[in-house]
Amino acid sequence: MTALEEISKQLDSVTDKISTQVRSVSLGVLAVAWLFLSGNKDVPDLPALSPTAKSEQFIAIAALCILALVADLAQYLCGYWNALVALEAIRQSGATSATYPNDWRRKGRMFFFSAKSWLALIAAGWLIGLLAYAVWPRSG
């Protein structure tokens, strides 16, 4: 196996693991945000936050998580379309291999991979910061 093939294989493995973690983090953060939005009597109140600010922030956090999941889907759709184009090129040329075209599908795949990762990180960081602020002891 050449160094390029080995690096490509490692990259496939790492991006697969990142995608799995993005889904897990997004769903977990979404669940916690939903829990605080639900107003369930078993959920602790966050008196440091006004009810309006709390609702708005948890809705924004939930929206970021949903966008991360949509970006995950869009990434795989772009990859699927990119593979279809490469397959059609092989069929038409009669060749045994082809490269993926570097068009909007490939660029979209890269864009959505980055977008979903950042959206999940921002949502998780925002949730952690919001909860830390809400429970941090205050003097006075």
Side-chain angles (χ1 to χ4, degrees), residues 8 20-21 43 54 77 80 88 102:
S8 180
T20 300
Q21 292 302 317
V43 178
K54 181 174 67 171
L77 286 173
Y80 173 76
E88 188 58 31
N102 192 18

Side-chain angles (χ1 to χ4, degrees), residues 1 15 18 21 56 77 91 93 95 115 127 129-130 132:
M1 181 180 291
T15 56
I18 290 170
Q21 292 302 317
E56 289 172 354
L77 286 173
R91 284 184 181 154
S93 70
L127 178 66
L130 184 63

Side-chain angles (χ1 to χ4, degrees), residues 21-39:
Q21 292 302 317
V22 164
R23 285 181 217 113
S24 298
V25 167
S26 294
L27 290 173
V29 170
L30 184 59
V32 172
W34 181 260
L35 184 69
F36 280 98
L37 282 168
S38 71

Side-chain angles (χ1 to χ4, degrees), residues 2 11 26 34 37 41 51 60 73 87 93-94 99 116 131 134 137 139:
T2 67
L11 188 59
S26 294
W34 181 260
L37 282 168
K41 64 178 175 63
L73 174 63
L87 181 63
S93 70
T99 58
K116 74 179 183 184
L131 293 178
S139 59

Side-chain angles (χ1 to χ4, degrees), residues 60-138:
I61 290 167
L64 287 174
C65 292
I66 292 167
L67 284 173
L69 294 169
V70 169
D72 184 50
L73 174 63
Q75 176 205 347
Y76 283 98
L77 286 173
C78 286
Y80 173 76
W81 291 328
N82 197 242
L84 280 179
V85 169
L87 181 63
E88 188 58 31
I90 290 172
R91 284 184 181 154
Q92 287 180 358
S93 70
T96 57
S97 66
T99 58
Y100 289 104
N102 192 18
D103 61 3
W104 66 270
R105 294 167 197 91
R106 187 166 181 83
K107 290 174 182 156
R109 188 176 182 185
M110 303 306 267
F111 170 78
F112 287 120
F113 178 79
S114 295
K116 74 179 183 184
S117 301
W118 281 108
L119 288 166
L121 282 172
I122 291 167
W126 191 351
L127 178 66
I128 291 167
L130 184 63
L131 293 178
Y133 173 78
V135 299
W136 199 265
R138 296 183 192 2

